[in-house]
Amino acid sequence: MIQKTFAALGFFSFSFMVSQPAAAFCGFYVAKADASLFNNASQVVLARHDNKTVITMSNDYQGELTEFAMVVPVPEVLKKEQIHIANQKDIDHLDAYTAPRLVEYFDKNPCNPPPLYEQRALIGGGAKTKESAPLPRSAKQLGVTIEASYTVGEYDILILSAKESGGLVTWLEANDYKIPKNAGDVLESYIKQDTKFFVAKVNLEEQAKAGFTKLRPLSMAFETPKFMLPIRLGTVNANGPQDLIIYTLSPKGRVETTNYRTVKLPTGQELPPYIKTEFKPFYKDMFATSVNKEDMKAVFLEYAWDMSWCDPCAADPLSKKQLVELGAFWELAKETNTPPNRRVRLGNNLKTYVTRLHVRYTGEKFPDDLRFQDTGNRENFQSRYVLRHPYGGNDECAAMDNYRKRVQDRREKEMVTLAGLTGWDMDTIRPKGKLPFKPVDTPKPNPQLPWYKRIWGD
């Protein structure tokens, strides 16, 4: 008997010198920390406005597709028009655009200080209905109802309702779905809220016809007054803590959680220059240290920004078309006024604000589903870390000796900061961080690059 096990989709399935102030943005972007850094990391795009919600789920399932299944609590019986196959490239682009980033600055010649003014800081398509599947013989007696049955792309989808969890578990097991132990209690809590269940598995025949070998993201659209994301099912069969990255899209502003603390990650810190080649392990350990400090009871803010521009850009903003595909339906509305002018505009009058939240969780630390609010706050935030390269020319002046002393002091502070952020031992950091004082060439702008990249670096 082939058993369809629940995918490891974590939230749903049973699956830093005056010449450049530290606070200034811009700089030469040199590295980012995207979702691929984290094992068992699920990604969700959550677009919402006026109770209309579009959820896009990117699955990290690894294994035989014959054993894949996804169960998602949904507030209503979805029609086929409410289900959509999304493009993974759009999610990857959004991940790159919002990813925590490393930037570098280059000290000016202290013998030739810059002028004062320089010292400044969806939906739709792809759904094919098939004849309603006959009700399994024992479903009625078990209190399980197949409310709808569809084939959408390479997925066979059922919308189920149930009177009690025992009957639902029995029905799923009888239909070759392997249910993790203790799933019943979580399912029962959803049933008491009159929740329906979106169940998807792979139709291998349809997948072969379409020519795909990897699972594509699934989107669903619905209306509900509840701004939330169900995560408890993802803890039932989880092998340790899971990472969930949530990208929220809204025309209003920053999104935060209401039932768990939303905490900004450390940002703007200056780090030893050698971190340029070790940014990924730095970020992983910095994030783990932040999680531990909060006893794994917080949701972390990694990025919050107006989608029409970025500073510095880890990737270009998404196009209006991409945003619409990910559920930002308000981008389709006709323009009624001109958006306020901003320092840099790279987008096409986009009205979307993106928030990136990162949570590491277990069932014990996160016993409740995530609930959100749109704060309307459009203040920008990004997880951004700074490398400051010293001026290494042969110039000599009264200011040079003092400058070199400040650089040495700065390096010491950078190493202490690094240890505090990551928990790394100073005996390990110091041999790498105390680099010899030597010239560092400042990159020259490439005239072939777009103007904004000539400012910030490629």
Side-chain angles (χ1 to χ4, degrees):
M1 176 184 295
I2 294 176
Q3 292 185 315
K4 303 170 183 66
T5 58
F6 291 98
L9 187 57
F11 60 103
F12 286 116
S13 61
F14 289 152
S15 263
F16 131 150
M17 337 254 95
V18 171
S19 61
Q20 287 284 356
F25 283 177
C26 300
F28 290 86
Y29 156 73
V30 292
K32 65 177 181 288
D34 55 26
S36 65
L37 277 183
F38 301 94
N39 295 327
N40 300 321
S42 297
Q43 296 169 278
V44 186
V45 183
L46 181 54
R48 181 174 169 89
H49 182 49
D50 291 342
N51 289 347
K52 296 181 176 67
T53 302
V54 180
I55 296 178
T56 301
M57 304 163 289
S58 177
N59 204 313
D60 64 346
Y61 174 76
Q62 308 236 347
E64 294 293 332
L65 294 182
T66 54
E67 297 185 357
F68 169 85
M70 182 192 302
V71 173
V72 185
V74 291
E76 64 185 19
V77 176
L78 304 182
K79 299 178 181 179
K80 67 180 186 297
E81 294 85 3
Q82 295 173 262
I83 306 167
H84 176 68
I85 301 292
N87 190 337
Q88 182 64 46
K89 290 183 179 180
D90 293 338
I91 300 176
D92 293 343
H93 191 163
L94 185 58
D95 178 44
Y97 173 80
T98 61
R101 62 212 60 199
L102 182 67
V103 297
E104 58 185 0
Y105 294 89
F106 298 82
D107 289 354
K108 305 296 183 180
N109 183 350
C111 296
N112 185 24
L116 182 62
Y117 69 82
E118 288 188 10
Q119 301 180 21
R120 58 174 177 81
L122 200 139
I123 307 164
K128 181 180 71 176
T129 307
K130 67 178 181 180
E131 295 296 326
S132 295
L135 198 64
R137 185 164 45 191
S138 61
K140 186 174 182 180
Q141 290 84 353
L142 293 171
V144 176
T145 302
I146 299 178
E147 303 284 357
S149 173
Y150 314 116
T151 293
V152 181
E154 64 270 31
Y155 293 97
D156 285 338
I157 294 167
L158 297 177
I159 310 296
L160 305 178
S161 63
K163 293 182 179 180
E164 53 91 20
S165 62
L168 179 58
V169 169
T170 300
W171 186 90
L172 288 168
E173 288 179 337
N175 286 270
D176 300 337
Y177 294 92
K178 183 179 180 181
I179 307 301
K181 293 180 179 180
N182 304 321
D185 292 341
V186 178
L187 291 170
E188 185 67 33
S189 66
Y190 287 116
I191 292 172
K192 288 180 179 179
Q193 300 174 58
D194 195 29
T195 299
K196 313 305 177 188
F197 298 93
F198 174 102
V199 182
K201 62 181 179 180
V202 180
N203 184 315
L204 296 178
E205 182 180 345
E206 292 296 328
Q207 186 188 42
K209 289 180 182 178
F212 294 104
T213 58
K214 294 184 179 181
L215 293 177
R216 293 185 294 170
L218 269 170
S219 294
M220 58 184 74
F222 49 83
E223 289 191 49
T224 176
K226 296 180 180 180
F227 191 5
M228 56 85 69
L229 195 64
I231 64 170
R232 286 177 295 153
L233 280 175
T235 66
V236 175
N237 67 336
N239 183 18
Q242 298 180 80
D243 281 85
L244 170 61
I245 298 176
I246 308 162
Y247 317 89
T248 68
L249 306 178
S250 165
K252 295 181 180 180
R254 184 186 302 176
V255 170
E256 298 180 354
T257 46
T258 60
N259 57 331
Y260 296 99
R261 292 179 61 234
T262 301
V263 177
K264 293 179 180 178
L265 280 171
T267 187
Q269 284 80 359
E270 297 177 23
L271 305 174
Y274 84 87
I275 291 299
K276 183 173 182 176
T277 60
E278 297 188 18
F279 183 58
K280 291 185 177 181
F282 155 77
Y283 193 82
K284 290 179 68 174
D285 289 350
M286 184 279 299
F287 184 78
T289 299
S290 298
V291 170
N292 291 335
K293 285 181 178 179
E294 296 293 336
D295 194 28
M296 199 186 287
K297 293 181 179 179
V299 176
F300 293 91
L301 178 67
E302 289 187 323
Y303 193 83
W305 212 274
D306 189 317
M307 180 57 78
S308 61
W309 66 291
C310 50
D311 177 16
C313 296
D316 288 337
L318 277 68
S319 68
K320 180 174 291 190
K321 180 180 178 181
Q322 289 177 299
L323 290 171
V324 171
E325 280 293 307
L326 290 173
F329 55 88
W330 53 88
E331 292 289 354
L332 294 171
K334 294 181 179 180
E335 295 287 347
T336 57
N337 60 343
T338 301
N341 186 30
R342 289 187 170 88
R343 180 162 57 91
V344 180
R345 276 229 171 246
L346 306 180
N348 299 317
N349 293 334
L350 298 174
K351 299 179 284 293
T352 298
Y353 192 94
V354 60
T355 306
R356 175 184 175 123
L357 300 171
H358 187 168
V359 56
R360 179 168 294 170
Y361 68 102
T362 63
E364 178 185 2
K365 298 295 185 177
F366 281 78
D368 299 317
D369 292 326
L370 300 180
R371 297 196 293 271
F372 304 97
Q373 64 176 347
D374 193 329
T375 67
N377 180 357
R378 299 185 73 90
E379 179 184 0
N380 298 321
F381 175 85
Q382 59 178 278
S383 300
R384 170 183 164 275
Y385 306 90
V386 179
L387 305 183
R388 194 73 57 177
H389 296 285
Y391 175 76
N394 297 320
D395 306 69
E396 292 295 339
C397 63
M400 183 61 77
D401 289 342
N402 186 45
Y403 166 75
R404 288 171 176 160
K405 174 63 167 60
R406 293 201 310 268
V407 169
Q408 296 299 332
D409 292 343
R410 186 175 77 196
R411 285 177 173 171
E412 182 66 24
K413 183 178 179 180
E414 290 168 349
M415 291 185 287
V416 171
T417 296
L418 178 60
L421 289 174
T422 62
W424 294 355
D425 191 274
M426 283 295 291
D427 289 340
T428 302
I429 295 172
R430 197 173 299 281
K432 298 179 181 180
K434 203 168 184 179
L435 299 174
F437 192 90
K438 61 182 180 180
V440 175
D441 293 331
T442 301
K444 295 180 172 55
N446 182 350
Q448 301 302 317
L449 291 174
W451 68 272
Y452 55 87
K453 287 197 174 183
R454 295 202 300 272
I455 297 172
W456 299 328
D458 193 5

